[in-house]
Amino acid sequence: MILTKKLSKHFFRFALMFSVLFSGQNIGHAEDQYSDDLIPIMTSNNTPSGIVSASSQWSGSHQPYNAFNDSANDYGWVTSEGIKSGWISYEFQTPQTISKYTLKSRNYNLSINENPRDWTFEAWDGSDWVVLDVRNNVTNWVLGEVKEYTFDNPNSYKTYRINISSNNDGAALSLGEIEMMSKNIQPQPEPEPEPEPTPTGDNALLVIKMISGLEKEFELTASEVQDFIDWYNDRADGRGKETYMFDKDFNKGPFTGRKDYVAFSKIQSFEVMEYTK
């Protein structure tokens, strides 16, 4: 140990541990945010863009694109009479990463039992349909109600569909409106730097652990500790001298002065233990 002077003080430990690379921050996770509907207001099954398809339709007034026309009318999409299951899909022009969809019931008093009961939300990967979300026993529909569903999806696809295996025992299967959204990527907040320690005691014992495993100890005043911390922070930012000089005024022996030089690149960590005499 470099420090041989015995300390006869009452220590209280105000521990300040540093590593060469500062780390550690608390990052809160905000509630997930989603885009607006990514499907344009469709005026036909292929205009203004994309392609709408379905397993069947009741009549010309209930074509598949009616489920994507953002209209308050009661037409929507309806399957052929007596068909209580089916699918409806939308193909984007470019791949999209969908992780939320909404379903709106037709606002028509005879269609409440035509709403989906059991279904999967799927994406086409070029060879197979990939199931992204599964819903079962959805029976609590209200006329004109919008239901929202979210799920995890890290991949992008061009075509998505709702594949409905059963309705609520209506004469056919129907939907008033369908929307698809992506999750907004939240920017990662800049990590907050660790607060710089400010010595509060009159004196302190500075213990520096070197990469070699050697420990150096220095008994310093509060201002001397602050000078060292300022130098260390400057070097961490690429400023100042590579080495720090400690002027040791004890055990000089026959020498007029003793100086100890510590290189920043050789420091693994340091600890400050403050005390009052």
Side-chain angles (χ1 to χ4, degrees), residues 14-27 190-198 226 229-230 232-234 236-237 270:
F14 187 91
L16 300 170
M17 284 301 294
F18 294 80
S19 61
V20 174
L21 294 177
F22 293 94
S23 64
Q25 66 271 356
N26 293 322
I27 300 177
E190 290 293 329
E192 296 182 3
E194 291 288 336
E196 294 184 3
T198 301
Q226 188 61 58
I229 292 173
D230 290 343
Y232 186 91
N233 289 335
D234 285 344
D237 292 335
F270 68 85

Side-chain angles (χ1 to χ4, degrees), residues 242-274:
E242 167 63 16
T243 58
Y244 187 85
M245 187 270 290
F246 291 93
D247 190 357
K248 302 194 294 187
D249 59 359
F250 56 91
N251 293 342
K252 289 184 179 180
F255 306 106
T256 57
R258 294 183 64 208
K259 302 182 187 300
D260 195 349
Y261 294 86
V262 177
F264 175 82
S265 59
K266 303 298 183 181
I267 298 175
Q268 178 178 342
S269 63
F270 68 85
E271 182 178 11
V272 176
M273 292 173 285
E274 301 178 8

Side-chain angles (χ1 to χ4, degrees), residues 159-205:
T159 305
Y160 294 85
R161 76 175 183 180
I162 296 174
N163 190 13
I164 304 163
S165 57
S166 62
N167 67 0
N168 282 274
D169 204 27
L173 172 66
S174 71
L175 276 172
E177 195 75 27
I178 304 170
E179 296 178 323
M180 300 183 192
M181 298 84 162
S182 63
K183 183 182 294 186
N184 292 332
I185 303 300
Q186 299 296 317
Q188 293 296 323
E190 290 293 329
E192 296 182 3
E194 291 288 336
E196 294 184 3
T198 301
T200 57
D202 299 328
N203 296 79
L205 180 67

